[in-house]
């Protein structure tokens, strides 16, 4: 797992962690050995610095069975029995990592029970470790069933009732579901999305004619299923007046989700204050390496855990972060952590674009649906976040194909049910003095009375070759000999920056891996790989955006999947104006009321 290096640059990250009010994450409960029933909870992470539990610190582990929690805190002078936070070192790396290893079986059984995962909350006074209960565990305690009708689309031709069915299912924890369907529904994208969501909860799904049965394994057969009329169901939970929930003290307070920090940096340069961050980098196949144990001869799979890299980069580049949720948005339990969340007026989220981009083949997209690595349904937890937090404004960024998709239409419908007005616009980076051809869809929704928030293009001044490439030719690396270059040429997918180009191709997340879609500089018959600093400059990312603690590969990923900086800044400027117009009108109306 990534850690703090013993240098000034990397101590900056430890300092940022120390300034947080809270950080959360999920960890797997492990076995002491493959054949042992004994469990252990190992917290080997730099996030321990949030709770002042650095290596060598004396600590106390308390079991609170009444709260189903373990509490790890720095020891005081009055504590008799203490332990010491140990450390993990790496031969090839110049840093150490603090480690807390809990193996007391009575304490684990009394507080964590049979949970496979724990939820850890690092706070100033210590770290709380609680069982992270899965949907199936709750649903199977009191099995119940629901019957939904999915035969008819809404007025816009969407099967938008899947949003209601998903919300009701998650709230009620049904163990069995029956769906009345039609042939059209069974062949719709909405059905695929619904199945993906149900499978994430653990359901097995079976189709019989136009009936669909979804059932949790080990759920008993039920005598009846409650019929729920989705047409009458009010998607919005409750109403709270804007005067009550709007944070007038910090009008530009923001919760940023699915971000590695570039968008936060751009927003904060426009005056926004990002107090909360939700970010998690899902494990990828290349993060797992096979090796053979020299003693036993067994094949060992080692996981190079990078799940916190985006969250830490976002934290490092935010001036105002108070809470970081290093959790998968699909598993994020808002109600568990709502007490940690500062009040905010703006929700910013960049839902994953992999399954909407043309860079990913249709076969790979289909495979990702089969193995649930797909992100076509990520708009649903984004909508749930808007619902649960009752956010006044929300900005969603993605590729243009998302803006054309059924997923985007469903998101818009759900937001309208929550009382938002919605606008969607496409923007080209080149129209905002950008140096790439990046085109993006921005969906903006508001409960503040939507006005014109479309950003206005600006006159071009930037020139990619003259401003970035030519002055830094020494940073180019000749890769003409690499097989990927020839593959890119043969498939026609190679993308190049030619001498004199003012605007260059879009940078991709996989740039550093020299895939067929990577961008190369072409000079006199040779192909060159641009440096990460060049790539950041081409994306308009300022030099003070700090990725120093991270590897070149992670830096390239963060750059390639980030927003186009200047374009994003221009859009955030319009959002800021929108929020301030509401504040001005609110106080103006209240002054008129007082005067009357």
């Amino acid at each position: 797992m990534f850690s703090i290096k013993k240098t000034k640059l990397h101590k900056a990250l430890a300092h940022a962690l120390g300034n947080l009010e809270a950080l959360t994450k999920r960890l797997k409960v492990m076995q002491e050995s493959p054949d042992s029933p004994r469990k252990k909870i190992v917290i080997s992470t730099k996030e321990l610095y949030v709770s002042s539990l650095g290596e060598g610190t004396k600590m106390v582990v308390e079991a609170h069975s009444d709260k189903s929690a373990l509490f790890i805190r720095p020891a005081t002078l009055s504590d008799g029995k203490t332990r010491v936070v140990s450390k993990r070192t790496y031969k090839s790396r110049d840093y150490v990592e603090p480690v807390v290893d809990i193996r007391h079986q009575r304490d684990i059984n009394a507080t964590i029970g049979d949970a496979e995962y724990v939820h850890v909350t690092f706070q100033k006074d210590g770290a709380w470790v609680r069982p992270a209960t899965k949907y199936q565990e709750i649903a199977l305690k009191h099995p119940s069933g629901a019957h939904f009708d999915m035969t008819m689309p809404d007025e816009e031709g969407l099967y938008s009732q899947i949003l209601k069915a998903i919300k009701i299912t998650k709230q009620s924890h049904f163990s069995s579901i029956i769906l009345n369907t039609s042939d059209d529904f069974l062949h719709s994208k909405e059905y695929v999305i619904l199945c993906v969501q149900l499978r994430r909860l653990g359901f097995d799904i079976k189709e019989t004619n136009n009936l669909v049965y979804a059932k949790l394994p080990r759920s008993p057969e039920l005598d009846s299923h409650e019929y729920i009329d989705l047409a009458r169901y009010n998607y919005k939970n409750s109403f709270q007046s804007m005067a009550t929930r709007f944070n007038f003290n910090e009008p530009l307070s923001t919760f940023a989700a699915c971000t590695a920090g570039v968008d936060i940096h751009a927003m904060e340069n426009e005056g926004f204050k990002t107090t909360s961050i939700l970010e998690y980098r899902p494990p990828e196949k290349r993060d797992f390496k096979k090796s053979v144990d020299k003693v036993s001869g067994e094949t060992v799979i080692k996981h190079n855990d990078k799940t916190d890299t985006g969250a830490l980069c976002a934290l490092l580049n935010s001036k105002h972060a108070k809470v970081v949720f290093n959790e998968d948005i699909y598993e994020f339990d808002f109600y568990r952590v709502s007490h940690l969340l500062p009040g905010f007026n703006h929700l910013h989220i960049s839902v994953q674009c992999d399954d909407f981009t043309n860079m990913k083949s249709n076969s790979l997209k289909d495979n990702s649906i089969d193995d649930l690595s797909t992100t076509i349904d990520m708009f649903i937890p984004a909508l749930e976040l808007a619902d649960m937090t009752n956010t006044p404004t929300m900005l969603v960024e993605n590729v243009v194909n998302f803006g054309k998709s059924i997923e985007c239409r469903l998101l818009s419908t759900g937001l309208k049910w929550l009382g938002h007005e919605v606008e969607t616009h496409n923007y080209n980076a080149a129209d905002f003095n950008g140096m790439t051809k990046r085109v993006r869809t921005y969906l903006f929704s508001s409960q503040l009375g939507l006005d014109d928030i479309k950003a206005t293009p600006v006159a071009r001044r930037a020139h990619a070759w003259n401003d970035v490439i030519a002055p830094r030719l020494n940073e180019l690396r000749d890769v003409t000999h690499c097989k990927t270059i020839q593959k890119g040429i043969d498939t026609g997918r190679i993308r190049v920056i030619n001498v004199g180009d003012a605007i260059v191709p879009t940078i991709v997340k996989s740039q550093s891996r020299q895939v067929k879609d990577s961008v190369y500089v072409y000079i006199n018959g040779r192909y060159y790989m641009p440096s990460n600093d060049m790539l950041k400059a081409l994306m308009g990312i300022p030099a003070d955006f700090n990725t120093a603690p991270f590897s070149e590969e992670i830096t390239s990923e963060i750059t390639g999947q980030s927003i186009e900086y200047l374009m994003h800044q221009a859009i955030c400027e319009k959002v800021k104006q929108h929020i301030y117009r509401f504040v001005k009108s609110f106080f103006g109306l209240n002054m008129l009321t007082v005067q009357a």
Side-chain angles (χ1 to χ4, degrees), residues 206-266:
K206 182 176 66 174
E207 299 172 19
T208 303
N209 297 322
N210 281 338
L211 285 178
V212 174
Y213 299 90
K215 187 171 172 288
L216 293 177
R218 297 189 293 113
S219 175
E221 295 296 334
L222 302 176
D223 294 332
S224 63
H225 288 67
E226 176 188 1
Y227 179 77
I228 298 174
D229 188 348
L230 296 176
R232 293 189 169 191
Y233 177 74
N234 185 2
Y235 191 81
K236 189 173 184 178
N237 282 328
S238 60
F239 176 80
Q240 188 181 18
S241 70
M242 195 60 65
T244 303
R245 60 191 164 92
F246 192 88
N247 184 356
F248 286 101
N249 293 324
E250 295 287 355
L252 299 181
S253 50
T254 300
F255 183 165
C258 303
T259 169
V262 179
D263 43 13
I264 291 175
H265 196 282

Side-chain angles (χ1 to χ4, degrees), residues 394-551:
M394 179 175 178
L395 185 66
V396 178
E397 177 267 346
N398 210 300
V399 295
V400 170
N401 284 347
F402 175 78
K404 302 174 184 176
S405 69
I406 286 174
E407 290 86 342
C408 185
R409 291 172 62 196
L410 287 169
L411 174 59
S412 297
T413 296
L415 287 167
K416 290 173 184 176
W417 288 344
L418 296 176
H420 286 247
E421 295 177 72
V422 183
E423 279 189 17
T424 304
H425 298 289
N426 293 335
Y427 296 101
N428 189 326
D431 294 332
F432 294 88
N433 205 32
M435 288 181 274
T436 75
K437 298 176 182 178
R438 189 171 293 242
V439 181
R440 287 293 183 267
T441 286
Y442 279 81
L443 179 151
F444 179 70
S445 71
S446 175
Q447 298 185 57
L448 307 181
L450 196 59
D451 42 40
D452 182 20
I453 59 98
K454 188 173 183 179
T456 305
V458 300
R460 285 195 55 75
R461 302 182 307 278
H463 192 285
W465 186 267
N466 295 343
D467 298 347
V468 178
I469 307 297
R472 310 166 87 153
L473 292 176
N474 62 304
E475 296 180 25
L476 297 174
R477 178 166 56 91
D478 193 334
V479 291
T480 310
H481 61 284
C482 295
K483 292 181 180 179
T484 51
I485 295 294
Q486 193 58 51
K487 286 182 180 179
I489 295 172
D490 293 342
T491 59
R493 291 176 61 175
I494 193 167
R495 299 180 304 138
V496 298
I497 301 171
N498 291 299
V499 175
D501 282 351
I503 302 175
V504 304
T506 299
I507 312 301
V508 296
K509 175 185 174 182
S510 53
Q511 169 73 24
S512 67
R513 301 200 295 277
Q514 293 185 223
V515 297
K516 286 176 284 191
D517 297 302
S518 293
V519 175
Y520 303 95
V521 178
Y522 184 69
I523 307 174
N524 296 329
R526 308 294 294 179
Y527 292 90
Y528 299 87
M529 175 66 76
S531 68
N532 276 333
D533 286 342
M534 294 173 82
L535 294 174
K536 285 197 284 187
L538 289 170
M539 293 283 288
I541 302 172
D544 67 346
F545 183 80
N546 189 357
T547 57
F550 308 96
S551 68

Side-chain angles (χ1 to χ4, degrees), residues 23 38 101 114 167 171 190 249 251 270 283 325 327 364 409 446 448 483 492-493 541 556 567:
L23 185 148
R38 293 175 60 84
D101 190 331
D114 296 325
K167 180 174 180 178
Q171 287 181 335
E190 293 94 319
N249 293 324
E270 283 299 321
F325 305 108
E327 301 186 51
L364 288 177
R409 291 172 62 196
S446 175
L448 307 181
K483 292 181 180 179
R493 291 176 61 175
I541 302 172
S556 177
M567 179 170 71

Side-chain angles (χ1 to χ4, degrees), residues 34 288-303:
F288 297 87
K289 304 294 183 184
K290 289 184 179 180
S291 61
V292 178
D293 188 285
K294 294 180 179 179
V295 178
S296 66
E298 296 179 352
T299 300
V300 179
I301 300 177
K302 293 184 178 180
H303 177 205

